[in-house]
Structure formats: C-alpha cells, structure tokens
Amino acid sequence: MQYQCNECSATYKISALRYKCDCGSPLNLQKNASRRHERDVSIMSLWRYREALPISTGTEIITLGEGMTPLILLDSTGNSKHYVKLDYLCPTGSYKDRGASVLLTHLKALGVKEVVEDSSGNAGAAIAAYSARADIRCTIYCPESTSKGKLKQISAYGADLKLIPGNRMATTEAVKQAAENTYYASHNWHPFFLEGTKTLASEITEQLEGNVPAHVICPVGFGSIYLGLYLGFQELHEAGVIDRVPRLLGVQPETCCPIYNAYRDKTPTISRMPQTGQTLAEGITAELPIRGEMILEAIHWTNGAFTTVDDADIKAGMKTLANKGLYVEPTSAVVIKGYEKFKEAGIIRDEDVVVSILTGIGLKASSVP
Ligand SMILES: [Zn+2]
C-alpha cells in the first residue's frame, strides 16, 4: 500500500514520515481492492472492522474503545424515519476519536515520539487523549476563543496547549512553523484520520442491518466526517456489501460556508470564504477546506447536497435534541435545521430513511449561550 497525491500523482511509502506531498497537496491512500469487509463481532469498538483498515497484523492498537455508538430513532412518520448516530458518546466526547485511534496506531508503529496538531477543540482533545494512551508527547494549537471545557480537557490529558488569537485560520498558520520540526498529526491532512472516520459507514450499515439509508446528514467544516462517510460507503459498495450509497448531505454555518457556495454556484473548485462573523458552530469554521477537490467529488459521486444554518437555527436544534434527551454541542445541532431545509428543498422525500450524525457532546461547550 502507498500514498498517492491527489494533484500530481506522486507516490510515497506509507512508512514515510510525511503528511503531504512535496507539491503541497494532500495525500490519499491508494485503493486496495483486496481489503476485506468482514467484521469481528467479538470486538466492541471500531476495530471490529480492522480488516478494512490499513493497519498490518500484529501492530499494537491504540484504542480507548471508540466507535460502536448508539443509532437511535429520533422521529418517524409513516415510512419516513430519522435516526441519529450518537457519536458524541466516543471516549473524548466526539467522533474525532475514530480518526485519532487509527492515526495514533499508525504513528506509534512508525516510532513517532512527539506530535503537533491544530484544532478547534474536539480533534485536539482526541489527539491529546490518544497520544497520552500511546505515550507520545503532544502539543495542540487552538483558537483563543475555543470553548473552555475543550481547552481544559486537552490540558488534562497532559498535552501542551498553545492558544492562538484570531480565527481558526490563524491557528492553522501558527502550527505550520511548529510542524517544520515536529511531526504534524493533522486530522485534516493525514489520510489515516479519514480511515478512522470511514468506520461510521460500516457501523451505520451494520446497525441498520444492511438497509442503506437514503441520506446521511452531517456538519461540515474541513469535511473529516463527510469524507470518511464517502470513503466508507464507497468501499462497502465496491466490495458488494451494499447495493447503493446514501446521498451525503452537508450543513455549514452561513458565516463560513465555502463548500455550500461551490455547491450552489456549481463551480469546479472551492474558493476561500473569509469568515463573515461569529458562529456558535465553532467546530466547522473552515474558510478553505484542504481536501476541497475530494469533497466536490463526494458531492458528485453520492448526488450529495449542502445547505447552511444560522445561530438561531442552531439554538433551536439544540433545544429540539435536548427535549428528546440528547445534549449535544452547537456544531452538532446544525443537522436539525439542515434536515428541515433538505426536506423543504425536496431532497429528502416523505418516505426516506435518514441518519444524522451527532458529532460532539454538549458538556464541554456548556459555556456557549
Ligand atoms: Zn503532489
């Protein structure tokens, strides 16, 4: 197995300590048709799908029991069913544990001793926790405005926390210098992170007993769930496990929605959209996603769609979910208004089965109004 560049097709060994191509573009793992999609039901974590992951036999697995989160019915009328996947119940309180477990397993096997990462909070907490588990030193860069609960959590795992003034983009700029000397365990750049998030597709398929939902809705910033779902469902389809793929529906905050803009205007590339104002959805404020080309490919390939929400929508979404016993962070709550908007637009039809991903727990964002 090798890495291959999206842009220039250069290839690299996966043992190489790199996170991007020499040309500056993101790397993907070359497709491996021989990967099996059988599960080991005795393992109650995402590692039950290990056969589909690029980790060789005998490797020490860095795990905290992530994955196998509940999939519950939120609403149903007639044949229409809206399920929510409670991925905020992963060990650090967000779905990012999926990517962190697979990425840190890979880095530990390569002998990496120290990593840096930049994050809006949840990925930082996940990388910090799994680094602690792997006995790897870790420094996390976060925007100064990150929820206090997330910052406290990152420090609690023993990571060195660097707070950067300004928006999410400023944090990305700040980590670049550190990444010149220390391995950059970036959840947005590293292809192994997506290998972890792709297990969401296997779990949804298993939990719905092979009945593929018509749509999966998720919040999208840099796209680490959206692309994970894309990879996962694509592989399951190619392996003949499922006979069709769900339409992947993304939701962005209207103050930072470069992917939505490209979708709406049908442009061939995604252009940077400087954030036009604050949003409660701190986890999905990416002015320019790194894997833009792959996101557009995922929209095209799954007949996907995008929409946007504002802060009032997010607050209403949190309330709707809390009234049903689900306490999530604002970023996760975008899926509720997103569902309504996709329904109004005729994308979700009356009889459709839909799964929305609830990405982050409410507890660490409790200071948010
Ligand atoms: Zn390249």
Side-chain angles (χ1 to χ4, degrees):
M1 202 188 320
Q2 299 188 98
Y3 291 132
Q4 185 162 36
C5 174
N6 286 349
E7 198 61 39
C8 72
S9 302
T11 56
Y12 304 93
K13 286 184 180 162
I14 62 164
S15 57
L17 267 183
R18 57 168 59 244
Y19 67 91
K20 65 175 177 183
C21 182
D22 286 340
C23 80
S25 299
L27 296 169
N28 283 342
L29 278 167
Q30 267 178 340
K31 289 243 180 296
N32 182 348
S34 67
R35 256 191 237 161
R36 287 157 57 223
H37 287 269
E38 285 151 24
R39 53 184 181 252
D40 180 344
V41 293
S42 69
I43 301 172
M44 292 309 283
S45 75
L46 63 80
W47 291 96
R48 74 207 265 115
Y49 309 112
R50 181 175 176 158
E51 297 283 350
L53 297 173
I55 301 291
S56 22
T57 317
T59 304
E60 179 197 354
I61 303 299
I62 306 301
T63 180
L64 294 164
E66 55 292 319
M68 289 312 285
T69 57
L71 180 75
I72 65 166
L73 193 58
L74 186 72
D75 274 313
S76 70
T77 23
N79 289 330
S80 139
K81 290 186 176 15
H82 185 193
Y83 291 93
V84 281
K85 176 89 170 134
L86 311 192
D87 237 39
Y88 65 85
L89 295 178
C90 281
T92 76
S94 88
Y95 81 95
K96 305 273 189 187
D97 293 355
R98 294 180 184 274
S101 177
V102 176
L103 176 56
L104 267 298
T105 293
H106 174 62
L107 297 183
K108 178 77 176 176
L110 291 183
V112 170
K113 300 273 187 282
E114 187 176 359
V115 296
V116 291
E117 152 81 320
D118 59 313
S119 158
S120 59
N122 282 333
I127 297 289
Y130 286 82
S131 294
R133 186 76 169 169
D135 200 19
I136 288 175
R137 277 192 58 195
C138 170
T139 304
I140 306 287
Y141 288 68
C142 286
E144 217 169 42
S145 58
T146 305
S147 296
K148 296 283 172 290
K150 294 181 184 174
L151 298 178
K152 201 158 184 174
Q153 184 187 15
I154 292 168
S155 300
Y157 292 128
D160 192 5
L161 181 62
K162 306 271 190 221
L163 291 182
I164 307 302
N167 61 13
R168 178 70 181 82
M169 200 75 197
T171 300
T172 301
E173 289 302 317
V175 81
K176 274 189 189 158
Q177 208 175 356
E180 282 171 16
N181 304 311
T182 310
Y183 189 75
Y184 187 26
S186 171
H187 69 288
N188 291 317
W189 279 96
H190 209 295
F192 273 70
F193 196 89
L194 293 181
E195 292 292 313
T197 57
K198 86 176 182 190
T199 57
L200 263 167
S202 305
E203 269 180 44
I204 292 169
T205 303
E206 182 179 352
Q207 287 170 313
L208 292 177
E209 295 175 337
N211 296 316
V212 182
H215 313 270
V216 180
I217 308 178
C218 63
V220 182
F222 283 95
S224 56
I225 298 191
Y226 195 83
L227 291 175
L229 289 165
Y230 171 51
L231 279 182
F233 281 117
Q234 192 182 37
E235 281 186 16
L236 291 168
H237 187 251
E238 282 167 6
V241 177
I242 53 177
D243 57 6
R244 60 186 174 83
V245 293
R247 295 179 73 174
L248 298 182
L249 309 182
V251 188
Q252 297 209 286
E254 63 181 27
T255 55
C256 193
C257 54
I259 305 170
Y260 168 74
N261 292 343
Y263 163 75
R264 181 197 56 201
D265 300 339
K266 299 187 172 58
T267 54
T269 54
I270 297 172
S271 305
R272 169 168 296 167
M273 174 182 174
Q275 199 176 332
T276 58
Q278 291 304 308
T279 169
L280 289 174
E282 66 181 356
I284 47 172
T285 56
E287 296 186 350
L288 182 65
I290 289 160
R291 295 179 180 272
E293 203 176 308
M294 193 177 170
I295 290 172
L296 292 178
E297 179 190 305
I299 296 173
H300 178 74
W301 195 77
T302 71
N303 192 19
F306 270 73
T307 192
T308 61
V309 298
D310 63 22
D311 276 3
D313 298 331
I314 292 173
K315 284 183 187 169
M318 288 174 76
K319 195 156 187 237
T320 300
L321 289 165
N323 285 343
K324 291 176 184 282
L326 303 165
Y327 189 49
V328 301
E329 70 167 319
T331 303
S332 299
V334 302
V335 296
I336 298 301
K337 185 65 180 186
Y339 178 93
E340 288 169 19
K341 283 185 141 179
F342 289 127
K343 200 149 193 184
E344 281 161 18
I347 292 168
I348 295 177
R349 293 158 308 169
D350 282 345
E351 68 277 15
D352 284 346
V353 171
V354 180
V355 173
S356 290
I357 314 292
L358 299 181
T359 50
I361 199 162
L363 293 174
K364 41 183 165 171
S366 290
S367 54
V368 173

